[in-house]
Amino acid sequence: MKLFLDTANIEWIRRLNRMGVVDGVTTNPTLVAKEPGEFEDIVSEICREVAGDVSAEVVATTHDDMVAEAKRLASLAPNVVVKMPITPEGLRATRTVSSKGIRVNVTLIFSANQGLLAAKAGASFVSPFIGRLDDIGHRGMEVVEDLVRIRDNYGLKAEVLVGSIRHPQHVLDAARIGADISTMPPEVMMKMMEHPLTDSGLKRFLDDWEKAKKAKPQILR
Ligand code: E4P
């Protein structure tokens, strides 16, 4: 499964990308609004840093404006993927731009039927938001299960990109189900690395080594 960062913060992206674990980045208007600078400059900088796909979302809501914005975003870098919301206008714009070779990530998906429609409209990625479903008492991962099954049943080309991830267990569940991508806040990726037994284990190794160096200095030539 590919791992994406769900942030527009370039410092976090650089830090985790250096570890070789970032396959791509997703942004949305809320995430971009938190960062200093112009939208297009932020997207371009992320695209220079990360070799994989970088999703940037349109803020227009009508077909013609969405298409114009999508073309502009796609011209920023070859790894830009344009994010469109799952609305009637968004689906129509997805069809228009995907048939021109622009890759689209259809976002704000809360049901498998929405995802199916997005895939039919030509989306390269469909993004179910699982944490927001969990927040209102639904089981977000069920939508992922359904979408993965539908993808496999019909050999759909659209990749299932699991968004609105809140904790490492979501990533693990998505991987078990066979989702193509999980996108997560940097803090969740950090938590995936951490384990208290790793910390205590490393401390013991280093303490034992220090003791050994004192007891038998020849251990290090
Ligand atoms: C995905 O592409 C979205 O940017 C994101 O995962 C939304 O998550 P949130 O519910 O944490 O805002």
Side-chain angles (χ1 to χ4, degrees), residues 5-7 25-31 34 55 57 83 105 107-108 110 127-133 135 161-166 183-185:
L5 280 176
D6 195 30
T7 182
V25 171
T26 50
T27 67
N28 62 41
T30 304
L31 294 171
K34 286 185 200 161
S55 288
E57 188 159 342
K83 247 178 165 183
N105 172 1
T107 189
L108 286 168
F110 294 97
S127 288
F129 278 25
I130 56 168
R132 293 192 196 186
L133 280 167
D135 290 345
L161 195 169
V162 181
S164 190
I165 279 180
R166 302 270 195 261
T183 188
M184 68 205 78

Side-chain angles (χ1 to χ4, degrees), residues 129-141 167 170:
F129 278 25
I130 56 168
R132 293 192 196 186
L133 280 167
D134 289 356
D135 290 345
I136 60 160
H138 290 242
R139 232 176 60 75
M141 211 48 80
H167 47 69
H170 275 152

Side-chain angles (χ1 to χ4, degrees), residues 3-80:
L3 302 180
F4 283 16
L5 280 176
D6 195 30
T7 182
N9 183 274
I10 193 70
E11 279 83 29
W12 265 120
I13 293 169
R14 282 206 182 105
R15 184 175 166 197
L16 284 152
N17 196 32
R18 273 189 223 122
M19 299 178 200
V21 292
V22 177
D23 296 305
V25 171
T26 50
T27 67
N28 62 41
T30 304
L31 294 171
V32 173
K34 286 185 200 161
E35 303 303 324
E38 296 280 328
F39 175 35
E40 292 185 5
D41 293 341
I42 293 171
V43 173
S44 301
E45 191 172 16
I46 297 171
C47 288
R48 282 193 296 274
E49 175 63 33
V50 174
D53 296 323
V54 176
S55 288
E57 188 159 342
V58 301
V59 288
T61 53
T62 56
H63 171 269
D64 292 357
D65 291 348
M66 287 167 131
V67 169
E69 216 181 318
K71 285 182 180 164
R72 201 176 152 81
L73 288 172
S75 72
L76 294 176
N79 52 340
V80 165

